[in-house]
Amino acid sequence: MTTQFHHVPVLLEKSMKYLSLAPGAVVLDGTVGGGGHAESILERTAPNGILIGLDVDQDALNASRRRLKVHGDRVHLIQTSFRKLDRALDEVGIHRLDAVLLDLGVSSHQLDSGQRGFRFSESESEATPLDMRMNPEQGQTAADLLNRASATELQGWFQNYGELPGSRRLAKAITESRESSPLKTNADLLRLIREAGIGRGRHHHPATLVFQALRIAVNDELGALEEGLEAARTRLKPGGRLVVLSYHSLEDRIVKHTFRRAAKGCVCPPKQPICTCGKMPSLRVLTRRPETPDALEIESNPRARSVRLRVAESIEEVRPS
Ligand SMILES: C[S@@+](CC[C@H](N)C(=O)[O-])C[C@H]1O[C@@H](n2cnc3c(N)ncnc32)[C@H](O)[C@@H]1O
């Protein structure tokens, strides 16, 4: 079935500027989605540049396949997580990259697809299954986690990934309620959030934080990011660019710290007078502060509101003589 894929690429011009693309460049888009950024990458690397596009979501890959068809065999699309980008590159016989783009999180298309369960509805009559998997064929659903995880695990996710006031209370409400009837739909979860008095009197709907926390846990988004950044770093040619767009403070923190660590090199304890680890800097950070969108972009695409763009450039590792 061909459905329209709705997603407006965020910070498109800035992303392209920082990717610093030339004709013939070999680029990995680790989150190809609907192919918005990928299309611009292919235009800038024509006539012979190569794009490797990864996504865990088959719907997204189908949409980008249609959109990028005109570029023929310059495009390789693979259904996999960017945490496994090494294996994907080996599959297509590419070793080194001129640039990598990671545009994290979910697409507007995924958010708007009711049956995927990323979005909650105020109306219990519009109950949708608690799924939230970016690859709906793999892994545990949000309902699985809610019905199987311990109260401590649930509380940890709500607290760490959602900074939810009342995390403990909600975890307890869930583990008690599921004894008589397992959670199945977002309406079940919304009812428990309400009954546990979570976020009473707060400006934001507390379910926003709960759903965000669950989505991060279901897809192990932070673990994938750590592994993906590390793999991308080691595949870049000297001078190659790594551009990351994150939409959550925890993601942005991981990107910032990974870049800083790689830019520093040495990991010896600060009090140690002489370096014994021998690690050399492998990245140069190009964004001291993250880039953000202007008011115009936020107005036309509210999804851009929380984005933070960070960029690093690969430098040749110099081993001490
Ligand atoms: C914000 S959208 C990307 C939109 C894309 N830049 C565009 O212009 O159309 C994020 C995409 O990344 C995918 N995704 C999220 N985590 C992923 C991962 N670990 N590996 C591969 N794809 C992932 C999602 O399925 C989604 O399609």
Side-chain angles (χ1 to χ4, degrees), residues 114-164:
Q115 290 308 306
R116 304 286 297 267
F118 289 112
R119 174 163 282 182
F120 62 88
S121 158
E122 283 290 2
S123 149
E124 294 196 6
S125 61
E126 286 175 34
T128 54
L130 280 163
D131 191 323
M132 300 195 199
R133 289 169 300 171
M134 290 194 200
N135 176 353
E137 277 126 47
Q138 233 174 46
Q140 302 199 73
T141 65
D144 292 334
L145 293 192
L146 288 166
N147 291 316
R148 290 177 195 160
S150 68
T152 314
E153 275 176 305
L154 289 170
Q155 183 192 341
W157 293 329
F158 297 145
Q159 207 163 295
N160 299 329
Y161 301 161
E163 294 177 36
L164 180 79

Side-chain angles (χ1 to χ4, degrees), residues 124-296:
E124 294 196 6
S125 61
E126 286 175 34
T128 54
L130 280 163
D131 191 323
M132 300 195 199
R133 289 169 300 171
M134 290 194 200
N135 176 353
E137 277 126 47
Q138 233 174 46
Q140 302 199 73
T141 65
D144 292 334
L145 293 192
L146 288 166
N147 291 316
R148 290 177 195 160
S150 68
T152 314
E153 275 176 305
L154 289 170
Q155 183 192 341
W157 293 329
F158 297 145
Q159 207 163 295
N160 299 329
Y161 301 161
E163 294 177 36
L164 180 79
S167 295
R168 188 156 172 219
R169 219 169 340 124
L170 181 61
K172 188 164 175 275
I174 291 167
T175 50
E176 280 173 6
S177 162
R178 74 191 186 191
E179 277 176 26
S180 51
S181 137
L183 284 88
K184 289 199 187 89
T185 66
N186 59 10
D188 297 335
L189 182 57
L190 285 171
R191 180 178 50 79
L192 290 178
I193 294 171
R194 209 174 33 248
E195 286 174 7
I198 303 297
R200 209 172 269 150
R202 294 196 138 234
H203 181 58
H204 287 296
H205 197 303
T208 311
L209 303 177
V210 177
F211 272 62
Q212 170 186 288
L214 274 174
R215 199 199 81 201
I216 293 176
V218 165
N219 297 287
D220 185 21
E221 291 180 33
L222 304 183
L225 178 58
E226 281 176 3
E227 287 177 27
L229 288 174
E230 185 52 21
R233 183 185 68 79
T234 58
R235 288 289 190 147
L236 283 173
K237 294 177 188 168
R241 298 279 176 92
L242 175 50
V243 174
V244 188
L245 283 77
S246 33
Y247 298 84
H248 187 287
S249 59
L250 292 175
E251 290 170 341
D252 184 51
R253 204 176 304 156
I254 290 174
V255 179
K256 182 169 87 178
H257 289 304
T258 306
F259 283 5
R260 269 199 200 153
R261 247 191 336 268
K264 185 165 170 269
C266 171
V267 291
C268 293
K271 284 190 179 152
Q272 189 172 302
I274 296 173
C275 168
T276 49
C277 75
K279 282 205 164 60
M280 300 300 287
S282 58
L283 290 180
R284 182 181 9 256
V285 181
L286 301 187
T287 41
R288 261 168 53 84
R289 289 175 193 286
E291 293 272 4
T292 52
D294 58 24
L296 208 65

Side-chain angles (χ1 to χ4, degrees), residues 2-232:
T2 306
T3 47
Q4 205 62 30
F5 194 99
H6 297 289
H7 182 87
V8 181
V10 173
L11 287 177
L12 183 62
E13 287 313 314
K14 275 192 181 148
S15 305
M16 293 306 128
K17 181 187 98 181
Y18 279 116
L19 286 170
S20 182
L21 302 168
V26 181
V27 183
L28 179 120
D29 182 344
T31 51
V32 70
H37 285 98
E39 187 168 60
S40 289
I41 291 171
L42 283 156
E43 283 161 7
R44 284 166 168 82
T45 56
N48 56 343
I50 300 284
L51 176 103
I52 306 104
L54 313 181
D55 206 295
V56 283
D57 184 346
Q58 192 58 56
D59 267 5
L61 288 170
N62 291 341
S64 50
R65 191 163 288 117
R66 286 192 297 275
R67 184 169 188 168
L68 308 176
K69 201 167 154 202
V70 291
H71 299 284
D73 60 7
R74 293 176 55 207
V75 182
H76 301 273
L77 296 175
I78 304 172
Q79 186 182 20
T80 189
S81 167
F82 54 67
R83 76 195 311 166
K84 296 187 182 149
L85 70 84
D86 273 322
R87 201 189 298 167
L89 289 176
D90 290 346
E91 219 174 89
V92 288
I94 287 171
H95 299 291
R96 292 270 172 233
L97 299 163
D98 292 292
V100 175
L101 173 69
L102 297 179
D103 177 18
L104 303 170
V106 278
S107 64
S108 310
H109 182 77
Q110 288 166 323
L111 277 174
D112 294 342
S113 310
Q115 290 308 306
R116 304 286 297 267
F118 289 112
R119 174 163 282 182
F120 62 88
S121 158
E122 283 290 2
S123 149
E124 294 196 6
S125 61
E126 286 175 34
T128 54
L130 280 163
D131 191 323
M132 300 195 199
R133 289 169 300 171
M134 290 194 200
N135 176 353
E137 277 126 47
Q138 233 174 46
Q140 302 199 73
T141 65
D144 292 334
L145 293 192
L146 288 166
N147 291 316
R148 290 177 195 160
S150 68
T152 314
E153 275 176 305
L154 289 170
Q155 183 192 341
W157 293 329
F158 297 145
Q159 207 163 295
N160 299 329
Y161 301 161
E163 294 177 36
L164 180 79
S167 295
R168 188 156 172 219
R169 219 169 340 124
L170 181 61
K172 188 164 175 275
I174 291 167
T175 50
E176 280 173 6
S177 162
R178 74 191 186 191
E179 277 176 26
S180 51
S181 137
L183 284 88
K184 289 199 187 89
T185 66
N186 59 10
D188 297 335
L189 182 57
L190 285 171
R191 180 178 50 79
L192 290 178
I193 294 171
R194 209 174 33 248
E195 286 174 7
I198 303 297
R200 209 172 269 150
R202 294 196 138 234
H203 181 58
H204 287 296
H205 197 303
T208 311
L209 303 177
V210 177
F211 272 62
Q212 170 186 288
L214 274 174
R215 199 199 81 201
I216 293 176
V218 165
N219 297 287
D220 185 21
E221 291 180 33
L222 304 183
L225 178 58
E226 281 176 3
E227 287 177 27
L229 288 174
E230 185 52 21

